[in-house]
Amino acid sequence: MYQILDGRKISAEIKQEIAREVVEMEKKTGRRPHLSAILVGHDGGSEAYMASKVKSCEEVGFDSSLIRFDSDVTEERLLQEIDRLNNDAGVDGFIIQLPLPKHIDEQKVIERVDYRKDVDGFHPINVGRMSIGLPCFVSATPQGIVELLRRYAIPTRGKHCVVLGRSNIVGKPIAQLLMQKGEPGDCTVTVCHSRTPNIKEVCLSADIIIAALGSPEFVTADMVKKGAVLVDVGTTRVPDATKKSGSRLTGDVKFDEVAPLCSYITPVPGGVGPMTIVSLMMNTLKAAKKEIFRD
């Protein structure tokens, strides 16, 4: 019988731990961590995700601020706002909600963020430090996955982990993290993507599969060996006439047929999603306590 990797439960436990640290921090310093966020446009998914971040800040006792721009904001104006946040001593960390409108260069925006406040972990300095195992801000979803594996004491040493997807936000960093020495880590990692010809055969050899393709129900039962650990990062809205909204959230894994084969599996929703948000809180606390970059 498979066990659910319950992201909601674990994230709630971590929030309680963070909240206790915030109380102690406020006693000692008279201030609380402050997370700021920039939201461009009015995308429904981004709005919902941002609302959950603001709610999480409230739950752990952080100060938070949300800066909104219309989708026609100029790149120059957005960069000016980033400069302002970089120089605001009252802001410990900040994020820019992606994706951005097409007329704005996302990479230029990411690189403009002070890496010491880059709690999303996207700046090249943080990415580079992570790749060689130095202290850094690790991007939230990969860090959330690693924390989930750690909290459930899932053995990774010597295991074969297959990562489906090679994005800069999930695929590449989670592959790097699971290759590193330690536990979770010490995996033999294979990264598959849209140009991999024999994905099914590769997956069948995996002890751990991390599905981060954004392709609904891509992973089916004939791709998973008995006892595998399945981490589903996918979140795609698909039509569903039985739902009041007319749609439902679906992962990259065909849950009902794959779950009986697994030892552990994450649900969608309620698996990786809550861990992503709580990882952002973890990074912000580290930023406020100057645990990583002290200069």
Side-chain angles (χ1 to χ4, degrees):
M1 183 63 185
Y2 63 88
Q3 185 173 345
I4 290 288
L5 294 171
D6 190 341
R8 287 195 180 106
K9 174 176 172 287
I10 300 299
S11 67
E13 290 173 4
I14 296 171
K15 281 178 185 175
Q16 289 177 351
E17 294 166 12
I18 293 172
R20 287 194 289 270
E21 287 203 55
V22 170
V23 169
E24 290 303 311
M25 181 181 176
E26 195 167 13
K27 282 180 186 173
K28 289 177 183 174
T29 67
R31 67 181 299 271
R32 306 188 295 179
H34 182 173
L35 174 66
S36 193
I38 296 174
L39 179 60
V40 179
H42 304 280
D43 175 76
S46 293
E47 291 272 5
Y49 190 44
M50 198 59 77
S52 62
K53 289 173 180 174
V54 170
K55 184 184 175 191
S56 292
C57 283
E58 291 171 359
E59 289 172 347
V60 300
F62 287 2
D63 291 328
S64 67
S65 51
L66 177 57
I67 300 143
R68 290 175 173 273
F69 291 105
D70 289 331
S71 55
D72 60 355
V73 66
T74 64
E75 183 177 279
E76 183 184 7
R77 176 68 188 92
L78 186 57
L79 293 173
Q80 284 174 355
E81 189 61 25
I82 290 169
D83 290 342
R84 186 187 70 78
L85 292 171
N86 283 338
N87 293 312
D88 186 343
V91 173
D92 298 298
F94 67 97
I95 60 172
I96 299 105
Q97 183 65 35
L98 303 178
L100 292 170
K102 287 186 167 50
H103 68 278
I104 296 174
D105 184 337
E106 280 192 3
Q107 193 57 41
K108 187 189 285 187
V109 166
I110 287 167
E111 291 185 33
R112 192 67 160 253
V113 176
D114 185 334
Y115 66 90
R116 293 163 297 189
K117 294 189 176 188
D118 169 40
V119 290
D120 255 338
F122 294 161
H123 193 285
I125 288 177
N126 281 311
V127 174
R129 290 176 69 92
M130 183 204 66
S131 73
I132 57 174
L134 291 176
C136 63
F137 293 120
V138 176
S139 53
T141 299
Q143 180 169 256
I145 293 167
V146 168
E147 194 64 26
L148 202 54
L149 296 175
R150 179 184 290 116
R151 300 259 175 164
Y152 275 91
I154 291 172
T156 57
R157 182 168 294 131
K159 303 296 184 181
H160 181 205
C161 176
V162 170
V163 177
L164 300 177
R166 53 179 170 179
S167 73
N168 291 334
I169 293 174
V170 182
K172 289 177 185 175
I174 192 63
Q176 293 272 8
L177 289 170
L178 289 174
M179 276 193 290
Q180 288 175 6
K181 292 181 179 179
E183 190 98 29
D186 285 326
C187 281
T188 299
V189 180
T190 302
V191 178
C192 296
H193 46 77
S194 58
R195 299 293 182 268
T196 304
N198 57 334
I199 288 182
K200 178 182 171 182
E201 289 75 12
V202 176
C203 286
L204 280 168
S205 70
D207 303 301
I208 302 167
I209 297 175
I210 296 173
L213 289 166
S215 180
E217 299 187 335
F218 179 88
V219 179
T220 50
D222 60 346
M223 299 170 68
V224 181
K225 75 176 183 182
K226 194 165 180 59
V229 175
L230 230 305
V231 177
D232 190 350
V233 186
T235 49
T236 306
R237 286 223 160 266
V238 297
D240 186 342
T242 67
K243 301 291 181 184
K244 194 174 180 181
S245 64
S247 66
R248 60 185 165 85
L249 206 58
T250 304
D252 286 354
V253 177
K254 202 162 188 178
F255 186 92
D256 290 346
E257 68 173 51
V258 169
L261 295 167
C262 297
S263 54
Y264 294 88
I265 188 169
T266 59
V268 175
V272 173
M275 295 302 298
T276 296
I277 293 171
V278 83
S279 292
L280 191 62
M281 305 297 117
M282 292 163 67
N283 279 347
T284 303
L285 181 62
K286 288 174 184 173
K289 293 168 72 177
K290 302 285 190 286
E291 282 187 357
I292 297 172
F293 303 113
R294 298 187 180 277
D295 53 326

